[in-house]
């Protein structure tokens, strides 16, 4: 069930870095709007048939701070989670969380915020799923909320969910920050469902 080292997390980080360089260093090497059309996701993009953006957008960042935070958190939680779940189970879950968080953003933008053109990118939704699974497996493990406040992992994860719910409600009223709360919540929900439907029964059976 477990491995001694993480295999897929370094690969995921490498792909994210490559796509970041495509956005920042090599963007002029591509046709106009190539990155926007292929590495961001929106409800309009899905209506236009660009379904691959459900996954490609989750490996895409155009801001240094954004990719640094996501990859730091992924390395911190994902490496341990991959060793616990096994590499194949981990990558299956990560891809599932990536796709469903992107879909969640698209649906939320179209039907709650009433703007199907809002484009999103980033691994935050998938990383939220990783954090939720980690927190449910190790609820008493200490994590730092905002990198400062020490909390049991489960409390910290629930605090992030509460903040995203608050942010999403603000966005539906025309306010809030330009953050993909819908993607975060979609990834978190995927992690919760995956834990209770897949992991918990499997661990109970092994015991």
């Amino acid at each position: 069930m477990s491995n001694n080292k993480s295999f897929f997390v370094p690969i995921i980080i490498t792909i994210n870095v490559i796509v970041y360089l495509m956005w920042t260093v090599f963007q002029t090497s591509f046709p106009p709007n190539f990155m926007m059309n292929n590495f961001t996701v929106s409800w309009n993009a899905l209506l236009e048939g660009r379904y691959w953006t459900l996954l490609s957008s989750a490996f895409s960042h155009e801001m240094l701070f954004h990719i640094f935070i996501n990859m730091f958190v992924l390395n911190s939680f994902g490496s341990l989670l991959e060793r616990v779940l096994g590499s194949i189970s981990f990558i299956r879950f990560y891809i599932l969380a990536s796709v469903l968080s992107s879909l969640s953003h698209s649906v939320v933008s179209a039907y709650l915020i009433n703007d199907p053109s809002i484009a999103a990118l980033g691994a935050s939704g998938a990383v939220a799923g990783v954090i939720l699974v980690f927190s449910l497996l190790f609820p008493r493990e200490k994590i730092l909320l905002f990198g400062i406040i020490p909390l049991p992992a489960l409390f910290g994860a629930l605090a992030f969910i509460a903040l995203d719910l608050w942010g999403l409600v603000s966005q539906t009223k025309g306010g809030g920050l330009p953050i993909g709360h819908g993607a975060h919540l979609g990834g978190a929900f995927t992690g919760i469902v995956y834990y209770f439907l897949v992991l918990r029964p499997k661990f109970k059976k092994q015991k």
Side-chain angles (χ1 to χ4, degrees):
M1 184 70 180
S2 63
N3 294 325
N4 292 325
K5 61 181 180 179
S6 172
F7 175 77
F8 279 111
V9 167
I11 293 175
I12 294 169
I13 292 174
T14 299
I15 295 172
N16 276 273
V17 170
I18 291 172
V19 177
Y20 170 74
L21 293 175
M22 290 168 66
W23 272 108
T24 57
V25 178
F26 303 112
Q27 187 173 21
T28 56
S29 303
F30 302 106
N33 297 321
F34 174 84
M35 295 301 295
M36 182 65 68
N37 289 337
N38 291 283
F39 289 95
T40 67
V41 67
S42 67
W43 186 251
N44 282 350
L46 300 180
L47 292 180
E48 292 168 4
R50 287 182 275 128
Y51 303 117
W52 62 88
T53 59
L54 289 169
L55 182 59
S56 63
S57 63
F59 290 81
S60 177
H61 302 79
E62 58 178 344
M63 296 178 62
L64 181 59
F65 179 76
H66 193 198
I67 187 174
F68 174 78
I69 291 296
N70 278 340
M71 296 304 99
F72 178 80
V73 176
L74 174 63
N75 188 62
S76 300
F77 292 93
S79 296
L80 175 59
L81 191 61
E82 182 177 350
R83 291 194 291 270
V84 172
L85 301 185
S87 292
I88 299 301
S89 294
F90 173 80
I91 195 60
R92 285 175 177 169
F93 167 72
Y94 191 84
I95 290 173
L96 178 66
S98 297
V99 170
L100 292 184
S101 64
S102 295
L103 181 61
S104 177
H105 160 78
S106 302
V107 171
V108 163
S109 299
Y111 293 100
L112 293 183
I113 304 178
N114 297 315
D115 188 353
S117 68
I118 298 176
L121 75 171
S124 303
V127 170
V130 169
I131 291 173
L132 257 296
V133 172
F134 176 91
S135 299
L136 290 167
L137 286 172
F138 309 103
R140 298 179 182 177
E141 195 74 24
K142 288 291 188 296
I143 66 172
L144 296 177
L145 186 65
F146 304 122
I148 302 173
I149 307 170
L151 287 174
L154 187 57
F155 288 167
L158 293 176
F160 277 119
I161 291 176
L163 287 171
D164 278 315
L165 285 171
W166 175 81
L168 180 58
V169 170
S170 298
Q171 288 177 339
T172 62
K173 296 179 180 179
L177 299 173
I179 296 174
H181 296 296
H184 296 175
L185 292 169
F189 180 74
T190 302
I192 293 170
V193 172
Y194 185 80
Y195 171 78
F196 282 105
L197 294 187
V198 178
L199 295 181
R200 193 176 182 187
K202 184 180 293 186
F203 283 122
K204 280 188 174 182
K205 188 175 180 179
Q206 288 181 342
K207 289 181 181 179

